[in-house]
Amino acid sequence: MELYYSTKLSISSDASCHFLPGWGSHVSNSSSLNLSRRRGRGRRNRRTSSLRFSIAAAAATETATRKLVPISRRNEPVERVTSAMEQLDIERGVCIPFRKYTPETVRNKVLESRGSILSLIGRGVEIVWNLGLYWSALTYDCLVGRDEEVVPYRARQLRKLLCDLGPSFIKAGQVLANRPDIIREDYMNELCILQDDVPPFPSQVAFAIIEEDLGQPLEQVFSRISSQTIAAASLGQVYRATLRETGEDVAIKVQRPEIEPIIYRDLFLFRNLASFLNGISLQKLGCNAELIVDEFGEKLLEELDYTLEARNIEDFLENFKDDPTVKIPRVYKQFSGPRVLVMEWIDGIRCTNPQAIKAAGIDVNGFLTIGVSAALRQLLEFGLFHGDPHPGNIFAMRDGRIAYVDFGNVAELSQQNKQILIDAVVHAVNEDYAEMANDFTRLGFLASGTDVSPIIPALEAIWQNSVGKGLSDFNFRSVTGKFNQLVYNYPIRIPERFSLVIRSLLTQEGICFTLKPDFKFLEVAYPYVAKRLLTDPNPALRERLIQVLFKDGVFQWKRLENLIILAKENVAKMNSNPALQQKSSTRSSRSLQVEKKLDLTETIKDGARMFLIDAGIRRQLIMALTEDSKLHIQELVDVYRLVEDQIDIPSVALEVLQDLPNVTRDFMLAWSDSVLSDRW
């Protein structure tokens, strides 16, 4: 048989990243493809924790191995069917070479155990019978025309049913509580109860698991341990204890007994049942139901391994190590394992108790400001964010800091996804709804090739209604309610990581409203975004800044002034926080990430460089200064007055002069390239 080759990049003997059809064009829109190192050995700051490689690099193709494929398939359509896991990698812009979850791994794990067939049959009958009865009740409600009036009852019935079916279904219910693309909003609200109301398992069983993982009696490690649970969740529960050796108070997170085989078995059944729903899922969500199960299974097995949660904590510690306003608990790896996690005890006030926070004398405005800023840094700067920041997982420290606990549910955004999110913000500011709809496709909300024209008017209506009364009245919950209707009526699937983004923003906005009912989320969020756009040297953000400042080729002077005012406001709010004032007295101010002034040095240097090198930008700026046949000197003066107290003009001028040789070289290279291109 005649054969031909298709390329596969060899990562290791047991894991590989495939070059898939469409990846070339997909990746070309971003600078690189990220190869996640979360599961590998070693750890770096999450800002640089991804090993990047270019798809176009010749070295990659030289080291690639070859896979034989019959030539008879060469005439088939180029668009071959890829696995759900490969599709997830394409959407995320990352390739994970070492996976805890794959459909093959789950199948092998389930079928290798003795009596697996009988167990699967029994569990399958239980699931189909209970869900079938519930589905029959819903169908009967529709037939007799009472489907709307019994919604509250049916929603409660579904929540209780999921609890009865065990931890996998409780976890599935928690996920569905954030998936308006799958179920309607009234059911989502009922399933939110599952995130806080889960019954614990006996403490004696938990203590036995701790001793088994430690390999020694509890009394040898802990001088004291609480007899009752501090908190209980679907996969485990938490106790408070004191280390015998050091006297430090710690939190012990213990996994539910024998939960792993139950999870694997249920995931196997979920995926097989999903194969019967692919037709409905393709019509409703634009993707196979199996992809949704794979997305859920991958996240669930990550949460099941407490060693991964320990790594998540270490990554958060690294990201916020120089931030004096954020507290991340230390993990005691010597006492931790796959089923037990020992962490520093956080002696703070839960955000479920606003009266206690105010009684402790904590500056509520300052606390909320650092909370919103920390959340946005996780999302837009680190790309690693807490996926479950409900009030029980966020504490107010008595010195004004914010503290996070429970890092099992953590999500990661690639550099590409972060850039697209910023693109979406820029398109919203510029009211470019067609590009906003295209951003949905690039982020994986819509299947590739979907006609976005019907969605554009709906997006415009949502945004105009939300900001029509002004940004001060904007809130995420009202936008999300309208967005839920949109995704329920169109073939839109919310990728799991973005459902966590939405839940994270909604939850933290809810905490803000609990502590201060008139709190304006965007009054803190916008200044942070403005500061990032003005000061971050990332080339992608520089490009977005230009897009914001130019609309239809016209320079927006007022928009630049607003950005500077908002950025200065962010710096002022962060500097006025009591937590920063207290830490500044004990640590060098040079080591703190919170800046005393708005540092625009790099922005000015980059602006001067672009003015000299980029003919298009130079022409646009000259037109901005001479628009309407007059010199816009007053606008320049207004901008200067806004920044004169923030920058040291002599030092900035010196740095610009020191950079002049590099700028001159780049200018000459750009000029020679243009001359040569004209001659050719």
Side-chain angles (χ1 to χ4, degrees):
M1 179 184 295
E2 190 178 359
L3 301 172
Y4 80 100
Y5 296 101
S6 68
T7 305
K8 183 175 77 172
L9 177 64
S10 179
I11 300 296
S12 70
S13 59
D14 59 349
S16 60
C17 287
H18 296 264
F19 286 155
L20 302 175
W23 269 33
S25 60
H26 177 81
V27 176
S28 65
N29 293 327
S30 64
S31 58
S32 61
L33 179 72
N34 289 341
L35 174 62
S36 174
R37 299 184 65 234
R38 288 186 60 191
R39 308 299 173 249
R41 295 180 181 177
R43 174 178 53 84
R44 294 184 181 178
N45 187 314
R46 188 59 59 144
R47 285 168 286 180
T48 58
S49 67
S50 295
L51 174 63
R52 300 179 179 177
F53 62 94
S54 171
I55 292 297
T61 57
E62 288 175 1
T63 58
T65 59
R66 300 295 184 177
K67 177 181 176 184
L68 298 177
V69 183
I71 197 169
S72 59
R73 294 180 57 188
R74 191 183 288 181
N75 294 325
E76 291 181 6
V78 174
E79 186 180 27
R80 69 177 176 86
V81 178
T82 61
S83 73
M85 301 306 297
E86 290 171 337
Q87 183 175 341
L88 289 177
D89 282 349
I90 294 173
E91 288 178 1
R92 294 167 179 163
V94 301
C95 178
I96 303 175
F98 302 99
R99 292 189 184 278
K100 192 170 181 65
Y101 172 91
T102 65
E104 294 77 17
T105 303
V106 171
R107 183 179 64 248
N108 295 337
K109 190 91 171 178
V110 171
L111 296 180
E112 72 183 9
S113 60
R114 182 175 298 178
S116 59
I117 301 300
L118 290 177
S119 175
L120 285 171
I121 292 174
R123 179 62 168 169
V125 169
E126 179 188 9
I127 293 172
V128 172
W129 175 257
N130 283 282
L131 293 181
L133 286 176
Y134 182 76
W135 187 265
S136 300
L138 292 178
T139 304
Y140 176 77
D141 292 338
C142 290
L143 291 175
V144 299
R146 63 171 192 175
D147 50 316
E148 290 296 329
E149 62 186 76
V150 297
V151 162
Y153 170 74
R154 293 301 182 202
R156 288 193 300 272
Q157 189 180 22
L158 176 61
R159 175 175 57 82
K160 293 175 182 176
L161 173 61
L162 295 177
C163 283
D164 292 340
L165 287 174
S168 303
F169 283 84
I170 293 174
K171 202 67 191 175
Q174 292 174 348
V175 171
L176 288 174
N178 304 290
R179 295 299 297 266
D181 52 333
I182 298 178
I183 63 171
R184 45 190 285 173
E185 190 171 6
D186 33 26
Y187 280 82
M188 287 170 53
N189 295 334
E190 181 66 30
L191 293 180
C192 282
I193 298 174
L194 292 173
Q195 295 171 354
D196 300 309
D197 187 15
V198 180
F201 60 92
S203 292
Q204 292 306 316
V205 176
F207 296 158
I209 293 173
I210 297 172
E211 288 186 336
E212 185 179 341
D213 266 32
L214 289 175
Q216 52 187 317
L218 286 175
E219 295 78 14
Q220 291 186 13
V221 180
F222 307 106
S223 59
R224 183 183 64 84
I225 187 169
S226 60
S227 58
Q228 300 296 323
T229 59
I230 303 300
S234 56
L235 302 182
Q237 54 197 40
V238 178
Y239 295 87
R240 182 174 183 175
T242 304
L243 291 176
R244 181 172 295 279
E245 185 176 346
T246 62
E248 295 172 287
D249 284 342
V250 294
I252 309 174
K253 188 174 180 179
V254 191
Q255 194 174 101
R256 289 183 177 269
E258 302 299 328
I259 193 174
E260 186 174 283
I262 295 172
I263 296 292
Y264 273 99
R265 182 190 61 190
D266 286 351
L267 286 176
F268 178 80
L269 291 170
F270 284 172
R271 205 172 194 280
N272 281 277
L273 290 172
S275 63
F276 295 100
L277 302 174
N278 280 337
I280 299 175
S281 181
L282 280 169
Q283 181 180 8
K284 172 66 179 171
L285 304 175
C287 69
N288 287 332
E290 291 165 329
L291 183 142
I292 297 173
V293 173
D294 287 341
E295 208 170 27
F296 168 70
E298 186 177 37
K299 179 58 66 178
L300 182 55
L301 291 189
E302 285 183 6
E303 287 191 57
L304 206 60
D305 187 350
Y306 287 176
T307 60
L308 295 182
E309 183 171 350
R311 295 183 200 176
N312 290 336
I313 295 173
E314 290 178 332
D315 285 336
F316 270 79
L317 278 167
E318 179 69 19
N319 287 343
F320 286 106
K321 65 181 180 181
D322 293 326
D323 192 329
T325 65
V326 179
K327 171 65 177 175
I328 306 295
R330 185 160 52 96
V331 62
Y332 296 84
K333 297 187 75 171
Q334 68 272 30
F335 302 125
S336 303
R339 298 185 300 166
V340 176
L341 183 62
V342 180
M343 302 159 287
E344 177 185 0
W345 178 262
I346 296 296
D347 188 18
I349 305 171
R350 286 183 181 269
C351 287
T352 51
N353 193 350
Q355 289 78 19
I357 291 177
K358 295 171 184 175
I362 295 173
D363 177 17
V364 174
N365 281 330
F367 176 73
L368 294 179
T369 297
I370 64 173
V372 173
S373 297
L376 291 172
R377 289 192 72 196
Q378 293 172 45
L379 184 62
L380 298 176
E381 186 175 340
F382 306 134
L384 178 76
F385 65 94
H386 198 300
D388 190 20
H390 64 73
N393 286 341
I394 298 180
F395 292 82
M397 306 298 286
R398 286 170 174 78
D399 59 4
R401 289 179 295 168
I402 186 171
Y404 293 91
V405 299
D406 192 1
F407 295 87
N409 194 351
V410 163
E412 185 174 11
L413 293 179
S414 67
Q415 184 67 24
Q416 176 186 340
N417 281 170
K418 289 189 293 181
Q419 290 177 6
I420 298 173
L421 280 178
I422 295 172
D423 281 344
V425 173
V426 171
H427 294 147
V429 171
N430 291 339
E431 299 183 355
D432 190 344
Y433 303 108
E435 283 302 318
M436 282 179 69
N438 289 328
D439 292 334
F440 273 65
T441 303
R442 296 167 64 201
L443 291 171
F445 285 73
L446 292 164
S448 180
T450 301
D451 180 17
V452 299
S453 55
I455 300 173
I456 294 173
L459 284 175
E460 183 175 0
I462 290 174
W463 184 252
Q464 292 293 343
N465 290 337
S466 299
V467 300
K469 297 179 181 179
L471 291 176
S472 61
D473 296 319
F474 178 95
N475 69 79
F476 282 108
R477 187 159 299 280
S478 64
V479 175
T480 304
K482 299 180 180 73
F483 182 71
N484 290 349
Q485 298 172 11
L486 176 68
V487 300
Y488 197 77
N489 294 326
Y490 291 92
I492 297 175
R493 174 184 70 91
I494 300 179
E496 184 265 349
R497 62 197 180 284
F498 290 115
S499 72
L500 292 179
V501 170
I502 294 170
R503 181 173 79 174
S504 176
L505 292 173
L506 280 176
T507 303
Q508 292 183 77
E509 185 187 55
I511 293 172
C512 293
F513 288 154
T514 300
L515 296 177
K516 188 181 179 186
D518 61 344
F519 182 77
K520 308 301 182 185
F521 192 90
L522 281 190
E523 287 184 1
V524 177
Y526 255 55
Y528 169 81
V529 174
K531 179 174 173 288
R532 281 292 312 278
L533 282 172
L534 285 174
T535 61
D536 198 308
N538 187 310
L541 283 177
R542 289 283 188 252
E543 182 181 342
R544 273 68 181 179
L545 176 60
I546 292 170
Q547 292 176 19
V548 169
L549 294 179
F550 286 92
K551 184 177 181 182
D552 299 327
V554 179
F555 190 81
Q556 305 295 306
W557 290 101
K558 195 64 180 176
R559 196 171 281 178
L560 175 59
E561 292 177 22
N562 289 337
L563 283 175
I564 294 172
I565 292 170
L566 289 170
K568 288 173 64 177
E569 183 182 329
N570 176 264
V571 173
K573 282 185 177 180
M574 295 301 293
N575 278 310
S576 64
N577 188 272
L580 178 62
Q581 303 299 326
Q582 182 171 341
K583 290 290 179 179
S584 296
S585 61
T586 58
R587 297 178 59 181
S588 169
S589 60
R590 186 173 296 178
S591 67
L592 301 180
Q593 285 188 356
V594 180
E595 300 165 346
K596 297 296 183 182
K597 290 186 177 182
L598 181 64
D599 187 3
L600 295 173
T601 304
E602 292 299 321
T603 308
I604 293 171
K605 287 169 60 178
D606 287 348
R609 176 187 294 270
M610 292 181 68
F611 182 82
L612 291 173
I613 295 173
D614 192 314
I617 293 294
R618 185 165 60 249
R619 182 168 51 254
Q620 286 182 307
L621 286 174
I622 292 173
M623 289 178 63
L625 289 169
T626 58
E627 189 181 358
D628 298 330
S629 301
K630 67 176 182 178
L631 287 175
H632 291 260
I633 302 299
Q634 186 58 47
E635 285 85 347
L636 271 177
V637 172
D638 292 340
V639 170
Y640 173 75
R641 285 174 178 170
L642 286 173
V643 300
E644 63 178 337
D645 62 333
Q646 301 292 311
I647 57 177
D648 183 359
I649 299 296
S651 63
V652 171
L654 180 61
E655 289 200 35
V656 171
L657 287 174
Q658 288 174 343
D659 197 41
L660 192 59
N662 294 328
V663 174
T664 304
R665 182 198 61 193
D666 292 341
F667 174 77
M668 295 301 296
L669 287 173
W671 175 78
S672 61
D673 285 344
S674 64
V675 170
L676 290 173
S677 63
D678 289 341
R679 291 190 175 184
W680 282 100

